[in-house]
Amino acid sequence: MQVLHMNKGNGDTSYAKNSTVQSKIISVGKPIMKEAVLEMLCNNVIESMGIADLGCSSGPNSLSVISEIMDTVEAANRLLGRRLVSEFRVFLNDLYSNDFNNIFMSLPAFYDRLKEEKGLEFESCFILGAPGSFYGRLFPTNSLHFVHSSSSLHWLSQVPAGLESNALKRLNKGKLYISKSSPQSVVDAYLLQFRNDFSLFIKSRSRELVAGGRMVLSFMGRSSTDPTTENSCYQWELLAQAIMSLAREGRIEEEKLDSFNAPYYAPCAEEIKDEIQKEGSFTIDRLEAFEIDWDGGAVTDTHTPHGKLSVGRRVAKAIRAVVESMLESHFGIEPDVMDDLFIRYGDIVGTHLSKSRTNYINLVMALTKKW
């Protein structure tokens, strides 16, 4: 919670400039989100609609979801010939170290666009920052009608117990995450941490959402029950290879690699369903899996030298924008070494994708609060 944040600002390695994959994920989930909003509004007039975007990050994606929700509400207003929502209370949540300033600086243009495109006055839309971990309560009881979270819930609240950097025994040497060579104890530790975290997330949102409120959650997952499949973990495997190449040259301590385990878990649908059913407050309306290209779907021929280099560099920039804060904190990597690491990672990714088109699996689910 103290370390993880997406790269700040608008520079070449910033999350704002390298979040195409996350934008694609939001795009494929839009029909499910629209359906959830419309079903919630069916036969309901909401005086003040509470909306929370959990794990909002920064950059162009941060307000796009909120705009889409408002578009859906306005379309319903026109269809039914009456105003279903009088005002919007929007809460943008992320960890304390998130680049909230980037979001707040974009609000004047966002408000101007609301007035121009939707006729909404500033007084009918209230946007607030809500820093903190979503693995726990963030909002008052029964204060929300709609919760959205995209590309966030695959991040755990902490490194699984027994795998922390100060653990006496290195159980996952040479790896950053679950891999084919990881012992079963590592796999079990990750699953237990996910179950504890996701259960707490669901319980917290159950208190905050009104009866009939909706949640749409979208996060990295896997299509198989096997957590070592390529679409679950191979991006971490290749990053470990790049780090190991620097360790062999003495530019990174190999012991630091052995002691690093990413606070990340890509669950399968069955693991998600189990926790929701155990908690009992929500019904699952939709749960779908989508394949997402590692580079966000840019059309590139990876069989040419230029194409292989291009796609590898795009993937490396996208991953760097997300994980650099953790690597910098754990490894103490100097800027020039960090640059070299991700150049190497891009080359490794490009070579891999020229031989095997590995995709992310993104899980999108819509939930309704029962009572």
Side-chain angles (χ1 to χ4, degrees), residues 351-371:
T351 299
H352 168 72
L353 292 179
S354 68
K355 299 172 183 175
S356 173
R357 194 68 182 176
T358 308
N359 296 314
Y360 296 122
I361 298 297
N362 187 247
L363 302 177
V364 184
M365 63 190 315
L367 306 172
T368 298
K369 170 80 182 304
K370 292 179 184 176
W371 56 77

Side-chain angles (χ1 to χ4, degrees), residues 207-280:
R207 298 284 302 279
E208 296 162 353
L209 274 161
V210 299
R214 298 303 203 276
M215 281 203 298
V216 173
L217 311 176
S218 174
F219 46 102
M220 296 299 187
R222 62 183 197 271
S223 54
S224 167
T225 56
D226 179 6
T228 68
T229 54
E230 279 199 355
N231 60 29
S232 168
C233 62
Y234 210 62
Q235 71 274 25
W236 294 104
E237 186 82 9
L238 299 183
L239 184 55
Q241 290 178 22
I243 293 173
M244 183 59 80
S245 73
L246 289 173
R248 283 194 293 266
E249 296 173 8
R251 301 174 70 192
I252 289 178
E253 294 177 42
E254 188 171 340
E255 192 279 332
K256 289 284 185 73
L257 172 58
D258 293 339
S259 63
F260 181 92
N261 288 281
Y264 172 97
Y265 188 73
C268 64
E270 290 77 7
E271 291 165 349
I272 296 169
K273 289 177 184 176
D274 283 348
E275 296 310 313
I276 291 169
Q277 289 166 358
K278 276 192 286 187
E279 196 279 332

Side-chain angles (χ1 to χ4, degrees), residues 4-24:
L4 178 64
H5 61 79
M6 306 300 102
N7 278 359
K8 300 179 180 182
N10 288 290
D12 188 53
T13 62
S14 68
Y15 179 80
K17 291 285 179 64
N18 296 285
S19 50
T20 303
V21 171
Q22 291 83 355
S23 177
K24 179 70 173 179

